[in-house]
Amino acid sequence: GQQVMQIPQYQHVQEGEDFTTYCNSSTTLSNIQWYKQRPGGHPVFLIQLVKSGEVKKQKRLTFQFGEAKKNSSLHITATQTTDVGTYFCAGPYSGTYKYIFGTGTRLKVLA
Amino acid sequence: DTGVSQDPRHKITKRGQNVTFRCDPISEHNRLYWYRQTLGQGPEFLTYFQNEAQLEKSRLLSDRFSAERPKGSFSTLEIQRTEQGDSAMYLCASSPRGSYGETQYFGPGTRLLVL
């Protein structure tokens, strides 16, 4: 079945350093969504990418969707302690409404 | 607050008992999802409703799991004859009408512990 993997699984950075998480799907995705989940919280929607090669920015966050629509990345510039949490990508399975979430990247930011 | 709400927030039950969870989506959101999340893992899709119709259901769901959304508003998820492996966070999310692939707004979840 369809799988969505993320690397790295964990990342510890010093405050101010950059951070990148990569998302790879075994199948082509019609769109990809990114979510952030704080410890003890629920996933919160960050952004959706739809077009091949699309790049979107939200302040210090940059999201990319691969040309083949099978991979995506999230880059955070100059991390802050408020960026702590687990970042998940998610994509629909074969044009259905069944969303497959990635394995997640847990980010810790050391002050 | 008009976000997604779930009830109860925590549930402890003994193996073999039945449990039912409720989800109230954001008003006028016609799409509703149920997910299960275990520690250190991403949310795992269980089922999807569009209005009152259950359009998608994971094959991971055994016959012990059933979900309803009778009037296209709130939804319930029932687990019969609970097993220890059912212990997890059960998350509900809703999405507004619109084009394919809308934002999913998650509720706070119901944490289930099966003893």
Side-chain angles (χ1 to χ4, degrees):
Chain A
Q2 180 184 16
Q3 290 186 325
V4 180
M5 304 297 292
Q6 285 183 249
I7 55 171
Q9 188 175 2
Y10 301 97
Q11 185 80 59
H12 294 187
V13 299
Q14 286 290 137
E15 188 173 22
E17 292 182 339
D18 293 355
F19 159 77
T20 303
T21 173
Y22 299 91
C23 172
N24 294 286
S25 170
S26 57
T27 60
T28 301
L29 300 169
S30 58
N31 66 78
I32 194 157
Q33 299 179 347
W34 283 92
Y35 291 82
K36 176 184 178 182
Q37 186 171 23
R38 293 181 183 274
H42 56 274
V44 175
F45 176 84
L46 293 176
I47 208 159
Q48 175 173 276
L49 305 169
V50 178
K51 298 177 183 177
S52 170
E54 188 171 12
V55 177
K56 286 189 176 181
K57 293 189 176 184
Q58 286 181 351
K59 298 182 180 178
R60 296 179 294 106
L61 278 60
T62 302
F63 304 83
Q64 288 189 309
F65 200 8
E67 294 289 341
K69 301 184 78 172
K70 295 180 71 174
N71 57 73
S72 181
S73 65
L74 158 59
H75 180 81
I76 302 178
T77 303
T79 54
Q80 300 175 357
T81 54
T82 53
D83 296 325
V84 165
T86 302
Y87 293 84
F88 293 101
C89 61
Y93 177 71
S94 298
T96 71
Y97 288 99
K98 177 183 176 182
Y99 272 80
I100 308 298
F101 276 72
T103 47
T105 295
R106 186 174 176 181
L107 172 65
K108 285 193 174 182
V109 179
L110 306 173
Chain B
D1 183 77
T2 56
V4 178
S5 61
Q6 293 187 244
D7 183 70
R9 295 290 305 276
H10 299 89
K11 179 71 177 179
I12 300 174
T13 191
K14 292 183 179 179
R15 189 176 52 186
Q17 297 294 306
N18 299 343
V19 294
T20 300
F21 308 142
R22 177 179 170 126
C23 170
D24 286 89
I26 294 173
S27 179
E28 297 182 358
H29 279 195
N30 70 329
R31 298 172 180 171
L32 188 146
Y33 302 79
W34 282 99
Y35 293 89
R36 177 173 66 185
Q37 186 176 29
T38 53
L39 195 63
Q41 302 296 315
E44 179 184 24
F45 175 87
L46 293 178
T47 191
Y48 164 73
F49 288 88
Q50 189 162 305
N51 300 310
E52 66 277 7
Q54 188 176 23
L55 299 184
E56 303 273 8
K57 186 176 177 180
S58 171
R59 283 179 289 179
L60 296 172
L61 242 62
S62 70
D63 291 341
R64 298 185 298 107
F65 287 71
S66 63
E68 293 183 340
R69 195 182 182 198
K71 296 183 180 180
S73 55
F74 73 92
S75 176
T76 58
L77 176 68
E78 180 182 18
I79 308 175
Q80 296 182 327
R81 305 181 303 282
T82 52
E83 302 172 355
Q84 288 184 324
D86 297 331
S87 295
M89 176 74 84
Y90 289 83
L91 293 163
C92 173
S94 70
S95 288
R97 298 175 186 274
S99 58
Y100 179 76
E102 292 290 339
T103 302
Q104 295 182 59
Y105 297 85
F106 280 82
T110 295
R111 185 171 295 282
L112 172 66
L113 177 60
V114 182
L115 302 176

